[in-house]
């Protein structure tokens, strides 16, 4: 059994957190490959080492003095090293970093040092081998990740290594220029490593006990999702439920390797298991509910629209021409509605409307702003009758006016449009009907 374990920044923010991580790793023989993030926040007012590095490098780039900032970063590591009583000095490493900063080695190089140094500390603490990700994770000249080359080199390297620490977040081009993933990208590294060693499980340790059925800012103490499929996760993450980097599912998904989200501060909790498919029915009919505010609905009407070939295409072309992406598109016989992000749309509103007029010649166009979209997601909906009915009666009881309904043919989700001001009330009503009352 091989497990790849990734630890997020808050799990590695201090010596105390490192000690918890050490206990977790030592508690299970199969936790052989470790992917650390950079030290994160120790409390809500603290700054992540990654952000400290970006700030420090911004000074270097302007040829300003940055040694105080760099010293503060070194202090973060020294307090971990001393707290764990390790015989390790990062003096030489910091000299190299200082020189490279002066030579303007790049923003990505700067940010990557957070994970790089934490990897060195972690390897020393665990007695595992340290592997610099710049040697095993590859990007092309344009900064795109190279999956095949990486898999080839990384799996060959890890085959020879019983236990290793591979820092998250970065890799390098074939010429050795360091490139990072987007923020939160250590999750992706963990997934790449899991694929390379054909792991049985990818454990992603963070500071929450998994995905929650609903947003805790709206629902008090919501239930945790025990098992979720990749597709359900995509739907919920897209609607704002973020625990894992979106791109982290792709490398493991193809290999059928499950991801287990776990909590470093509550290791006894089972967390959430993310799988390709499962015969385990969710505890409730719905797996989760998530949503976002800030949409505009553009209603386009034209008599006999349904028989006019190409009408929808022309309307959509107007959005495409102005670079606006479309969220949802419910339609009727003589009407179609396009949902877009309000922020994206506002600045280009009049241009888009005039393009629609020019291209599609509709009878009327009207706009409704300040709308929210809510996704009710669940593989269990397929086999349960009356889910939609229950949602809408719950919303009606809560006095929420439903503006739009869209159910995908996969029956995996139902999207509901409501007014921004009804958003929280609607999420609560849906959560209550499926989770609290459980009828
Ligand atoms: N340290 C990086 C960040 O703060 C990457 C990560 O933690 O995954 O975004």
């Amino acid at each position: 059994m091989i497990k790849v374990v990734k630890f997020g920044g808050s799990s590695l923010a201090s010596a105390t957190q490192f000690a918890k991580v050490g206990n977790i790793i030592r508690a299970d023989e199969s936790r052989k490959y470790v992917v650390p993030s950079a030290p994160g926040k120790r409390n809500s007012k603290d700054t992540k080492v990654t952000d400290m590095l970006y700030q420090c490098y911004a000074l270097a780039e302007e040829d300003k003095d940055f040694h105080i900032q760099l010293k503060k970063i070194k202090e973060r590591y020294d307090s971990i090293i001393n707290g764990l009583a390790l015989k390790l000095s990062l003096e030489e490493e910091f000299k190299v970093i200082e020189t490279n900063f002066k030579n303007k080695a790049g923003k990505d190089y700067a940010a990557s040092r957070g994970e790089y140094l934490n990897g060195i500390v972690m390897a020393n603490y665990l007695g595992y081998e340290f592997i610099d990700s710049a040697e095993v994770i590859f990007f092309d000249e344009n900064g795109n990740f190279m999956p095949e080359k990486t898999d080839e080199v990384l799996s060959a390297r890890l085959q020879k290594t019983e236990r290793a620490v591979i820092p998250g977040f970065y890799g390098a081009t074939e010429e050795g220029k360091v490139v990072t993933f987007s923020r939160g990208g250590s999750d992706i590294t963990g997934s790449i490593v899991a694929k390379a060693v054909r792991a049985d499980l990818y454990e992603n340790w963070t500071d929450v006990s998994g995905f929650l059925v609903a947003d805790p800012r709206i629902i008090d103490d919501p239930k945790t999702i025990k098992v979720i499929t990749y597709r359900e996760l995509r739907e919920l993450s897209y609607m704002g439920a973020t625990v894992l980097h979106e791109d982290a599912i792709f490398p493991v998904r193809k290999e059928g390797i499950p991801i287990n989200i776990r909590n470093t501060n509550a290791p006894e909790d089972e967390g959430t298991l993310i799988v390709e498919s499962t015969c385990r029915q969710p505890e409730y009919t719905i797996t989760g509910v998530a949503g976002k505010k800030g949409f505009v609905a553009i209603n386009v009407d034209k008599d006999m629209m349904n028989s006019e070939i190409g009408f929808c295409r022309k309307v959509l072309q107007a959005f495409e021409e102005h670079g606006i992406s479309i969220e949802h598109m419910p339609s009727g016989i003589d009407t179609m509605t396009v949902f877009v992000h309000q922020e994206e749309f506002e600045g280009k509103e009049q241009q888009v409307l005039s393009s629609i007029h020019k291209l599609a010649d509709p009878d009327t166009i009207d706009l409704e702003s300040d709308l929210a979209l809510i996704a009710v997601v669940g593989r269990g909906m397929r086999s349960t009758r009356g889910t939609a009915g229950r949602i809408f009666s719950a919303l009606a009881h809560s006095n929420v006016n439903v503006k739009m309904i869209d159910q995908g043919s996969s029956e995996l989700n139902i999207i509901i449009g409501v007014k921004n001001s009804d958003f929280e009330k609607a999420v609560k009503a849906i959560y209550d009907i499926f989770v609290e009352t459980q009828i």
Side-chain angles (χ1 to χ4, degrees):
M1 175 91 131
I2 301 177
K3 288 182 189 164
V4 169
V5 286
K6 180 260 167 179
F7 291 90
S10 61
S11 302
L12 300 168
S14 63
T16 321
Q17 289 300 89
F18 253 78
K20 290 185 195 169
V21 167
N23 290 337
I24 291 168
I25 296 172
R26 285 187 281 261
D28 184 343
E29 252 290 284
S30 56
R31 293 181 176 134
K32 293 184 176 159
Y33 301 100
V34 181
V35 176
S37 278
K41 293 183 180 189
R42 290 161 294 188
N43 53 60
S44 57
K45 291 198 193 78
D46 205 7
T47 312
K48 287 178 167 195
V49 164
T50 309
D51 291 313
M52 295 170 86
L53 284 160
Y54 279 125
Q55 286 155 13
C56 184
Y57 187 70
L59 294 173
E61 234 181 357
E62 290 175 24
D63 293 315
K64 289 190 180 142
D65 182 19
F66 59 85
H67 82 271
I68 296 175
Q69 279 71 14
L70 196 61
K71 197 164 151 248
K72 281 198 183 138
I73 297 169
K74 184 162 182 295
E75 281 164 11
R76 291 280 318 253
Y77 288 98
D78 284 343
S79 84
I80 296 172
I81 293 172
N82 297 333
L84 298 170
L86 302 180
K87 284 194 192 62
L88 173 70
S89 163
L90 295 177
E91 207 69 48
E92 290 307 312
E93 292 291 350
F94 270 92
K95 278 191 193 141
V96 174
I97 292 172
E98 188 178 340
T99 311
N100 287 337
F101 272 33
K102 282 187 180 143
N103 293 335
K104 312 220 167 65
K107 208 170 148 201
D108 282 10
Y109 166 81
S112 74
R113 295 306 86 186
E115 273 67 14
Y116 170 79
L117 294 167
N118 226 19
I120 294 177
V121 176
M122 176 67 90
N124 184 286
Y125 175 52
L126 296 171
Y128 280 25
E129 187 178 323
F130 172 76
I131 297 178
D132 185 353
S133 300
E135 292 167 16
V136 287
I137 293 187
F138 295 95
F139 289 83
D140 67 17
E141 266 70 76
N142 304 320
N144 299 314
F145 172 57
M146 294 167 74
E148 284 87 22
K149 162 113 193 178
T150 298
D151 197 52
E152 193 187 305
V153 175
L154 185 60
S155 44
R157 177 72 188 266
L158 294 178
Q159 233 159 44
K160 293 185 270 170
T161 321
E162 180 74 24
R163 293 172 183 277
V165 174
I166 309 103
F169 192 36
Y170 73 95
T173 62
E174 279 161 310
E175 285 71 48
K177 187 176 186 322
V178 169
V179 180
T180 61
F181 292 108
S182 57
R183 295 299 303 262
S186 299
D187 286 341
I188 310 174
T189 311
S191 186
I192 293 166
V193 173
K195 178 182 166 157
V197 297
R198 308 293 182 263
D200 298 281
L201 185 65
Y202 167 24
E203 286 180 345
N204 186 298
W205 292 80
T206 174
D207 51 11
V208 289
S209 293
F211 278 89
L212 300 171
V213 175
D215 187 337
R217 285 166 299 186
I218 303 175
I219 307 291
D220 279 344
D221 202 15
K223 303 271 191 242
T224 305
I225 301 173
K226 290 205 174 123
V227 182
I228 187 169
T229 64
Y230 287 118
R231 291 182 58 211
E232 290 175 313
L233 181 69
R234 282 277 296 151
E235 301 284 347
L236 287 175
S237 315
Y238 185 67
M239 277 296 184
T242 50
V243 175
L244 187 72
H245 193 296
E246 265 200 286
D247 295 342
I249 64 175
F250 298 113
V252 284
R253 183 176 183 172
K254 277 200 204 127
E255 301 301 315
I257 302 166
I259 307 176
N260 191 189
I261 308 287
R262 299 285 295 266
N263 188 349
T264 301
N265 304 318
E268 60 291 346
D269 289 354
E270 277 175 43
T272 300
L273 193 65
I274 310 167
V275 295
E276 176 67 48
S277 60
T278 174
C279 63
R280 277 166 72 178
Q281 282 300 325
E283 246 172 300
Y284 317 103
T285 308
I286 62 163
T287 302
V289 47
K292 276 190 204 163
K293 289 183 182 177
F295 293 93
V296 185
I298 299 110
N299 299 308
V300 185
D301 279 6
K302 186 172 190 181
D303 281 344
M304 306 301 287
M305 170 192 121
N306 69 325
S307 56
E308 182 181 326
I309 291 172
F311 183 81
C312 292
R313 181 186 50 75
K314 290 175 203 154
V315 171
L316 296 183
Q317 191 182 334
F319 291 89
E320 189 183 348
E321 280 176 2
H322 297 283
I324 292 177
S325 73
I326 284 159
E327 291 299 311
H328 280 282
M329 213 182 57
S331 64
I333 297 178
D334 290 331
T335 172
M336 69 183 276
T337 304
V338 179
F339 275 79
V340 296
H341 284 280
Q342 193 155 336
E343 250 182 36
E344 224 179 282
F345 180 69
E346 263 167 3
K348 299 174 182 165
E349 175 189 88
Q350 293 311 315
Q351 290 103 296
V352 177
L353 297 188
S354 91
S355 295
I356 299 176
H357 276 293
K358 241 187 268 157
L359 290 161
D361 189 28
D363 296 336
T364 56
I365 305 178
D366 66 58
L367 303 181
E368 184 161 9
S369 58
D370 299 318
L371 297 175
L373 290 176
I374 299 171
V376 186
V377 177
R379 59 189 184 279
M381 299 197 305
R382 239 190 200 163
S383 51
T384 319
R385 259 182 299 149
T387 311
R390 284 168 68 194
I391 295 175
F392 299 117
S393 67
L395 292 175
H397 273 110
S398 301
N399 259 327
V400 174
N401 186 14
V402 175
K403 299 267 172 194
M404 187 274 291
I405 308 161
D406 199 356
Q407 177 174 25
S409 53
S410 63
E411 289 188 65
L412 189 71
N413 64 356
I414 297 177
I415 309 282
I416 299 152
V418 299
K419 272 186 158 9
N420 274 348
S421 54
D422 280 338
F423 175 65
E424 283 83 6
K425 206 170 23 162
V427 170
K428 244 182 134 339
I430 296 167
Y431 183 85
D432 282 350
I433 193 81
F434 288 105
V435 181
E436 294 297 354
T437 37
Q438 276 191 60
I439 38 161

